[in-house]
Amino acid sequence: MYHAHMGAHMAAQAQERLRLEEETMTTYKHDKLNGNWEFKILRSATNQFKKPHVLQQVLQEERLGDWELVEKFDDGRLRFKRPAAARSQDQSRPRGYDPYRTLHGMSEGVMAVWIMIGVFACIGIALGIAWLAGAGF
């Protein structure tokens, strides 16, 4: 139980570091924005943005909502901006497109579940092999 708690604590600290990094990396001069822009960060828990074809697909999808790429933080985070007036067109966007999505692909929670399943499967296989070896098979 202690290890699970420590793992959760370390994950929370990593999330906070990323949030603080994003805030310090994204200081914009107020006079350049004039309050006419909105921003979002699109995340990929599995760092899918390192793949050029995925990055191009995501950029094309985000153009549906008038979002333009401002910067690529890393292979897991992209910052977009669009004119605030673009909100008025959101009802007429293609069906299934969410202009405010902030996640591409698998969420961190789902990824954690798959990792845990993999770990337990490996432990089960190792125990099974050890049992068979001990049973003389």
Side-chain angles (χ1 to χ4, degrees):
M1 185 63 147
Y2 174 75
H3 294 293
H5 176 70
M6 284 300 295
H9 180 70
M10 289 173 59
Q13 285 182 325
Q15 285 289 1
E16 180 63 13
R17 276 193 306 275
L18 288 176
R19 187 187 67 75
L20 290 172
E21 175 188 40
E22 290 165 1
E23 285 183 14
T24 59
M25 289 175 69
T26 58
T27 55
Y28 299 105
K29 299 273 187 228
H30 186 270
D31 59 330
K32 290 188 178 185
L33 297 180
N34 298 323
N36 295 325
W37 296 95
E38 55 185 6
F39 294 85
K40 75 172 183 175
I41 295 176
L42 185 63
R43 292 178 172 80
S44 168
T46 55
N47 292 328
Q48 291 294 302
F49 304 138
K50 69 182 166 194
K51 300 175 182 174
H53 70 280
V54 172
L55 179 60
Q56 289 306 312
Q57 175 191 352
V58 167
L59 295 177
Q60 184 176 358
E61 290 169 1
E62 292 305 319
R63 280 188 213 110
L64 294 173
D66 297 325
W67 293 101
E68 63 181 76
L69 181 66
V70 175
E71 56 197 322
K72 180 180 177 183
F73 289 126
D74 50 38
D75 292 333
R77 297 173 297 163
L78 304 173
R79 177 173 288 283
F80 291 90
K81 74 174 183 175
R82 75 175 184 172
R87 272 183 249 149
S88 65
Q89 301 298 315
D90 285 347
Q91 295 300 325
S92 63
R93 307 272 181 214
R95 187 175 217 191
Y97 172 72
D98 177 8
Y100 291 102
R101 74 176 179 159
T102 57
L103 182 64
H104 175 77
M106 182 185 322
S107 72
E108 290 177 352
V110 170
M111 187 172 70
V113 168
W114 279 110
I115 290 170
M116 294 298 288
I117 289 170
V119 167
F120 286 125
C122 289
I123 290 171
I125 291 169
L127 290 174
I129 291 171
W131 180 78
L132 288 174
F137 287 105

